[in-house]
């Protein structure tokens, strides 16, 4: 356990000019006192770890020290080659540089691990696009991806409804969701305004104005996207219906309706009644969508309100009873 932590500490210091004890402690998930002991152990083992004291102090490697990847185990080596997404890299125009990087890593591995790339490729494959949809790569994606990597502004013209709008953007990150590429960017000159999300296939034109921007180093792309996705999911749940569920209905609800809506509704539900039924208030996109979704629950769900939706289910039940009437 400690040996793995020491290796990780060396690799962290190798990848950055210097790190404070607090930063190392956070990355290694240990105390700052443990970081101090580990640095001393590395120094005694011949790794040139130098500690600088004071407010701007920290730990760094001296003399251009580098370690090779010969310490990788088989599982680590195979996981390394799973980290790439070949289709996405190709669409962003990065397939050649990614291939070169994999070759360099392969060359650094021990001979006994040289088959790790092939073993990983034989066992796992990521197919990002959704079913029944022909994936299309936006023509402007490579240009935008290049700007994202280099912190360069992009002057873009995109479709917004029936109109076209032009903005100068500070591109922070790219997200591939179900085969669709999105750009997370801030409008230049917006005075540090909120980041927004743009579908790249709606970009009509894009150009490099030759300007760079100062990236907010605190920006967390996965966290931003998760927050945006949840906000979007909640924004389309504009209507509410009241439903009484059996125990089986409670279990099946997250599979029939939006999982976020199901979670919120069940979390806010009261106690079950004498027949172990739970009454919930469920957020839905529309009454038509609610009708289609709740139909899947059959007799395990009873719509209480609104009356118009309850009436539709009553009519459905009458037709079903007539259809399956004996004789």
């Amino acid at each position: 356990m400690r040996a793995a932590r020491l290796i990780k500490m060396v690799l962290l210091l190798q990848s950055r000019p210097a790190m404070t004890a607090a930063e190392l402690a956070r990355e290694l998930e240990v105390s700052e006192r443990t970081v101090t002991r580990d640095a001393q152990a590395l120094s005694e083992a011949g790794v040139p770890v130098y500690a600088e004291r004071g407010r701007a102090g920290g730990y760094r490697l001296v003399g251009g020290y580098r370690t090779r990847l010969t310490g990788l185990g088989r599982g680590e080596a195979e996981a390394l080659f799973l980290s790439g997404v070949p289709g996405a890299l190709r669409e962003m125009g990065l397939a050649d540089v990614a291939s070169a990087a994999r070759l360099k890593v392969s060359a650094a591995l021990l001979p006994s691990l040289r088959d790790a790339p092939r073993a990983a490729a034989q066992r796992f494959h990521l197919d990002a696009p959704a079913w029944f949809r022909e994936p299309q790569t936006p023509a402007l994606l490579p240009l935008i991806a290049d700007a994202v990597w280099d912190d360069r502004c992009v002057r873009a013209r995109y479709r917004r409804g029936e109109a076209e709008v032009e903005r100068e953007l500070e591109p922070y990150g790219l997200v591939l969701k179900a085969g669709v590429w999105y750009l997370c960017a801030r409008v230049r000159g917006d005075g540090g305004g909120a980041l927004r999300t743009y579908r790249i296939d709606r970009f009509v034109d894009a150009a490099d104005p030759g300007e760079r921007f100062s990236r907010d180093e605190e920006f967390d792309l996965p966290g931003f996207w998760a927050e945006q996705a949840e906000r979007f999911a909640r924004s389309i749940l504009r209507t509410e219906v009241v439903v009484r569920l059996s125990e089986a209905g409670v279990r099946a609800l997250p599979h029939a309706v939006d999982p976020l809506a199901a979670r919120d509704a069940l979390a806010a539900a009261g106690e079950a009644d004498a027949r172990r039924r739970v009454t919930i208030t469920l957020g839905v996109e529309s009454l038509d969508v609610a009708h289609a979704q709740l139909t899947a629950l059959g007799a395990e769900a009873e719509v209480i309100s609104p009356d118009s939706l309850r009436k539709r289910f009553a009519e459905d039940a009458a037709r079903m009873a007539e259809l399956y009437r004996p004789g």
Side-chain angles (χ1 to χ4, degrees), residues 75-252:
E76 294 168 321
E78 290 175 349
L80 177 64
F81 285 93
L82 281 175
S83 62
V85 185
L89 291 171
R90 184 171 55 252
E91 292 179 8
M92 288 189 291
L94 298 174
D96 290 342
V97 292
S99 176
R102 284 193 292 270
L103 285 173
K104 290 179 180 179
V105 173
S106 296
L109 293 173
L110 290 171
S112 61
L113 300 178
R114 296 282 165 80
D115 65 335
R118 181 171 175 270
Q122 284 179 331
R123 288 165 174 79
F124 299 97
H125 173 67
L126 176 64
D127 185 8
W131 284 103
F132 312 118
R133 175 201 254 153
E134 188 67 27
Q136 293 184 342
T137 303
L140 296 169
L141 177 61
L143 183 150
I144 294 172
D146 192 43
V148 169
W149 281 113
D150 204 27
D151 293 342
R152 294 199 316 273
C153 297
V154 170
R155 185 176 292 118
R157 188 158 45 91
Y158 63 96
R159 296 189 306 275
R160 189 170 69 182
E162 299 297 322
E164 290 187 3
V165 180
E166 184 170 311
R167 295 282 188 274
E168 191 163 313
L169 303 174
E170 297 177 353
Y172 268 71
L174 290 167
V175 175
L176 176 61
K177 171 70 172 179
V180 179
W181 285 94
Y182 295 88
L183 172 67
C184 303
R186 179 174 284 137
V187 176
R188 190 154 178 81
D190 201 14
L195 281 109
R196 307 175 188 180
T197 304
Y198 303 86
R199 275 185 64 143
I200 295 181
D201 57 7
R202 292 179 183 166
F203 280 46
V204 177
D205 190 25
D208 181 357
E211 296 182 49
R212 300 173 66 90
F213 68 94
S214 298
R215 168 180 288 269
D216 178 2
E217 296 300 333
E218 299 298 317
F219 174 66
D220 172 19
L221 180 59
F224 171 78
W225 180 257
E227 182 180 319
Q228 290 291 104
E230 182 167 325
R231 184 178 301 166
F232 172 75
R234 292 185 191 279
S235 71
I236 64 174
L237 304 176
R238 303 183 183 94
T239 306
E240 289 186 343
V241 298
V242 179
V243 184
R244 185 179 292 128
L245 300 170
S246 67
E247 290 181 298
V250 169
R251 292 193 296 271

Side-chain angles (χ1 to χ4, degrees), residues 17-18 21 35 44 74 210 224 230 238-239 247-248 277 287 312:
V35 168
E44 292 172 353
R74 171 163 295 277
F224 171 78
E230 182 167 325
R238 303 183 183 94
T239 306
E247 290 181 298
R277 298 177 304 175
L287 293 184
R312 287 180 67 177

Side-chain angles (χ1 to χ4, degrees), residues 25-62:
R26 185 165 56 251
E27 291 281 353
L28 300 172
E29 298 181 350
V30 295
S31 68
E32 293 186 30
R33 180 171 296 185
T34 298
V35 168
T36 301
R37 288 199 297 264
D38 285 352
Q40 183 177 351
L42 287 171
S43 181
E44 292 172 353
V47 178
V49 178
Y50 177 70
E52 295 178 323
R53 302 190 180 278
R55 287 187 62 186
Y59 293 92
R60 62 183 178 88
L61 295 174
V62 296

